[in-house]
Amino acid sequence: MKTLQKSQAIQTKNHQSKTINLAIFGHGLVGGTLINQILESQSNIENRKGIKLNIFAIANSKKILLNANGITNNWLTDIDNLQNGYEINDLIEFAKKHKLNNLIAVDNTASSTFINQYQNLIQGHFHLISSNKIANTISFDFYQKLRQTLNHNKKEYLYETNVGAGLPLIDTIK
């Protein structure tokens, strides 16, 4: 048993991890907690799963922090020191310029206006993850267009929301 574990550990060391590049929108309680959890568990995830989680962007409605090599534990101070102003295309161009692959945009904003950026993100080669259900409930027309864009660009949109006492309803139903 120990020999098998050593063999797997050697294979993992010699195997280059797959990098997932994350852009996280919204860094309040939910987003900030997510960011800190990822930073704290990055090496553990890479060692166990062979996946390197690289948070290369953190944004709110006014500022965006970009670092192709990954943000640091000082991310909140770094954001505070930035000047206001960015557009979604700044993020998309940054990812292209730095040849970042396996892009995922994580929406922790609970903003009914941020979902209007989903189309641009998808067309900019991002998969989407949301901690809310806004894009699925705003209008059927929006929902259909979103699904068409996802299918056309071969991208995924994953989401989760809680009901009642924090029960993960969607996964439970699935």
Side-chain angles (χ1 to χ4, degrees):
M1 185 66 148
K2 287 183 181 180
T3 306
L4 178 60
Q5 288 173 339
K6 284 182 183 178
S7 173
Q8 289 172 337
I10 291 169
Q11 288 175 349
T12 303
K13 275 187 170 181
N14 293 334
H15 181 266
Q16 188 170 4
S17 297
K18 178 179 182 177
T19 300
I20 305 294
N21 289 292
L22 302 170
I24 298 180
F25 295 89
H27 56 82
L29 181 60
V30 173
T33 300
L34 175 65
I35 292 164
N36 290 330
Q37 286 177 342
I38 291 171
L39 290 174
E40 289 170 12
S41 59
Q42 275 177 323
S43 61
N44 187 18
I45 292 170
E46 186 171 5
N47 289 335
R48 286 186 311 112
K49 301 291 184 179
I51 296 171
K52 179 180 179 189
L53 297 178
N54 180 46
I55 302 174
F56 79 96
I58 300 175
N60 59 27
S61 61
K62 297 176 181 151
K63 300 176 180 184
I64 188 165
L65 175 64
L66 298 167
N67 185 336
N69 297 316
I71 57 101
T72 68
N73 289 329
N74 298 323
W75 63 270
L76 196 52
T77 302
D78 294 341
I79 288 175
D80 287 342
N81 292 331
L82 295 172
Q83 293 184 354
N84 288 349
Y86 78 96
E87 295 181 13
I88 279 299
N89 284 336
D90 297 334
L91 170 73
I92 294 168
E93 290 303 316
F94 182 87
K96 283 182 190 175
K97 177 183 174 185
H98 294 280
K99 296 178 173 67
L100 300 176
N101 296 315
N102 304 313
L103 299 167
I104 299 175
V106 181
D107 177 8
N108 291 306
T109 65
S111 166
S112 59
T113 57
F114 183 72
I115 61 166
N116 295 321
Q117 299 300 330
Y118 283 13
Q119 298 286 339
N120 293 329
L121 288 165
I122 296 164
Q123 292 166 352
H125 307 289
F126 283 82
H127 294 279
L128 301 175
I129 295 176
S130 176
S131 60
N132 62 65
K133 61 185 182 290
I134 297 170
N136 291 323
T137 61
I138 197 156
S139 75
F140 189 62
D141 184 50
F142 181 90
Y143 177 84
Q144 284 182 310
K145 287 178 184 174
L146 178 63
R147 294 294 166 188
Q148 289 170 352
T149 304
L150 288 163
N151 287 335
H152 177 73
N153 290 278
K154 295 179 176 61
K155 297 297 173 194
E156 296 287 329
Y157 171 45
L158 304 176
Y159 49 89
E160 186 63 79
T161 189
N162 293 329
V163 177
L167 302 173
L169 186 63
I170 294 172
D171 272 348
T172 304
I173 291 171
K174 284 182 182 176

